[in-house]
Amino acid sequence: MGILRRMKHDAWRRQPETYPFRGEVLPRYTDVDLWEHLNNVALIGLQIESVQRLLLDVAGDAAWRAGPAAIGPETTSTDFIAEAYYPTPLTAAARITHVNARDIGIASALFQKGHCVGLHQSRVLSWAPNGQPVPLSAEMQAAFARRMATQAPLPPGAEPEAGHKPALAHPGGPAGGAPADSLQVLPRRPADFPVHYLLASRFGDHDAAGRTSDQALGRMAEQGRVNLLTELMGPERLASPVGFMVAHVSLRWLRRGRAPAAWSVGSGVLRSGDRSITIRAQLCDGDECHAVCDSVMVAIDRDARQSIRLPDDLRAAVQRLSVR
C-alpha cells in the first residue's frame, strides 16, 4: 500500500489548477451501481475519456483515426479517493507528465463539488496492426513535447508520476517499475490460477480502431474481482457484514487487437495485507496473455463503512486462492 499512499498524498495531484487541460463531464444514470454511487469502471472510463480528449486536442484525428499505428494506453493506474454521485457534474483534468520516443505519460484526475474523487495515470503509445507496440512517430512525439513545454511547472518537490506502477512488466524483460513479485508469480496459463473460466466477448467491447477497448478491459477486470470474491466468500457474500471496497486498479496491455470469441481468464490473490488483498486477473486468447489486471481491495464493515482487519476465516480462504 506504500505505492498507493505516495500517489494519493502528492498534493499537486488533488489540485485542479495544476492540470492545464480541464473540462466538465456529466455522469449518466447507467454509471450508477447497486450501491447508488458511480461505478468504479465508469469512473475509469471517465478518466480515460479525459486522457483521450487531451490526445485529441494535441494530435487531432491522428489520436484515433489516422495511420496504421493507432495510439492508446498500454498501462493505466487508477486510485479511488472518494465516492462520486449521479447526477452532479464532474471536472475532468489532465496533464502530460513525460514524452519520449516510446510513450507519453498523462496524469488525470476527477473532481466533484471541488473535491478530488479519483486519480489516474496512463502510459500511451503506438500500437501496430499486429497488436505489438511500436515507436511513436517523430511528428507525434514533437507535438506532445511542444504541448508539454507550455505547461506551468509543478510545485517544488512534486513528482510528475508519483505512485504510478504498471500492473506487469513484459515477461522476460525489465520490471519497468512494477513490483518484483508481480513478475515472480505470473503463471503462464489461465489454468494455473486458482480460479479460471471463459468470458465471452461482445461486439461493443471493440473501440474505433478495432481493438479491445480500455473500457472493456476495466469491465473484465471488475468481473474477475467479483468472481474471485464470490469464490472467496461464497454466493451469499453480499449478505455478509464484511465487504470489500476497490481502492486501486492497475491495468496493462501486453498485446492489443481484436477480441477472441471468448477470453480465457485466470484470477487469484496476488498478495494480502492486514486489511487488504490484491486480486490478479489475466486475460488470454488461448494461452497467449493479452492483458493483466491488478485490483487492491480493502476489507470493510458494511454497516460502518470503515476498513477492518481481514477476519481469520477469510485469511484461510485467501491462502487457498493465492497465486503461487
Side-chain angles (χ1 to χ4, degrees):
M1 295 291 285
I3 291 171
L4 255 150
R5 282 195 292 269
R6 284 201 301 275
M7 186 168 174
K8 287 184 175 179
H9 293 289
D10 200 338
W12 78 266
R13 296 298 309 258
R14 295 171 179 257
Q15 306 301 320
E17 62 272 13
T18 58
Y19 299 90
F21 188 80
R22 297 191 296 273
E24 183 178 272
V25 292
L26 295 175
R28 305 166 302 174
Y29 176 70
T30 52
D31 294 333
V32 181
D33 64 18
L34 60 85
W35 308 116
E36 298 186 351
H37 56 67
L38 297 186
N39 174 261
N40 295 292
V41 179
L43 290 171
I44 292 175
L46 291 175
Q47 297 276 18
I48 292 173
E49 178 65 19
S50 180
V51 171
Q52 184 63 35
R53 292 299 181 98
L54 177 55
L55 296 178
L56 189 64
D57 192 60
V58 176
D61 278 357
W64 67 289
R65 285 182 187 267
I71 62 173
E74 176 194 34
T75 64
T76 64
S77 295
T78 306
D79 283 347
F80 302 97
I81 306 298
E83 292 175 347
Y85 296 93
Y86 173 84
T88 307
L90 297 101
T91 297
R95 178 186 182 96
I96 301 170
T97 53
H98 79 257
V99 180
N100 58 44
R102 182 184 184 274
D103 51 55
I104 302 159
I106 298 178
S108 65
L110 292 174
F111 301 86
Q112 193 172 61
K113 294 184 177 181
H115 299 285
C116 181
V117 298
L119 302 174
H120 180 89
Q121 183 79 31
S122 287
R123 180 178 293 164
V124 177
L125 47 74
S126 291
W127 295 93
N130 66 358
Q132 297 298 323
V134 294
L136 293 168
S137 69
E139 294 78 13
M140 188 75 70
Q141 186 180 348
F144 281 91
R146 286 193 299 269
R147 175 61 65 88
M148 185 175 177
T150 68
Q151 298 178 155
L154 292 174
E159 297 181 39
E161 297 181 4
H164 176 53
K165 297 290 183 179
L168 173 72
H170 288 283
D181 56 345
S182 292
L183 295 175
Q184 299 301 320
V185 300
L186 177 66
R188 297 190 177 186
R189 301 176 304 139
D192 293 330
F193 282 86
V195 178
H196 50 90
Y197 50 92
L198 293 177
L199 191 60
S201 296
R202 304 167 301 176
F203 174 79
D205 288 344
H206 292 93
D207 64 15
R211 309 167 301 197
T212 306
S213 70
D214 299 293
Q215 182 81 1
L217 179 60
R219 188 62 70 191
M220 289 185 281
E222 177 185 60
Q223 193 59 48
R225 295 193 295 272
V226 169
N227 288 358
L228 197 285
L229 289 176
T230 300
E231 186 73 21
L232 183 70
M233 303 179 69
E236 302 301 320
R237 67 180 182 82
L238 293 182
S240 170
V242 177
F244 282 90
M245 178 181 66
V246 185
H248 176 87
V249 174
S250 182
L251 310 174
R252 184 179 182 112
W253 288 106
L254 303 180
R255 180 185 179 91
R256 295 205 68 168
R258 291 190 179 277
W263 292 101
S264 183
V265 183
S267 64
V269 177
L270 182 65
R271 57 178 83 80
S272 60
D274 188 51
R275 295 171 180 261
S276 67
I277 61 174
T278 299
I279 295 174
R280 161 68 56 87
Q282 177 178 298
L283 274 73
C284 295
D285 181 1
D287 284 339
E288 182 182 27
C289 181
H290 282 226
V292 175
C293 318
D294 287 347
S295 302
V296 178
M297 311 292 295
V298 178
I300 62 168
D301 180 304
R302 287 192 192 275
D303 292 332
R305 303 295 290 173
Q306 297 287 331
S307 68
I308 59 173
R309 293 170 58 94
L310 286 173
D312 290 341
D313 58 332
L314 280 184
R315 287 189 182 279
V318 163
Q319 291 302 311
R320 177 175 57 85
L321 295 173
S322 292
V323 181
R324 304 183 189 282

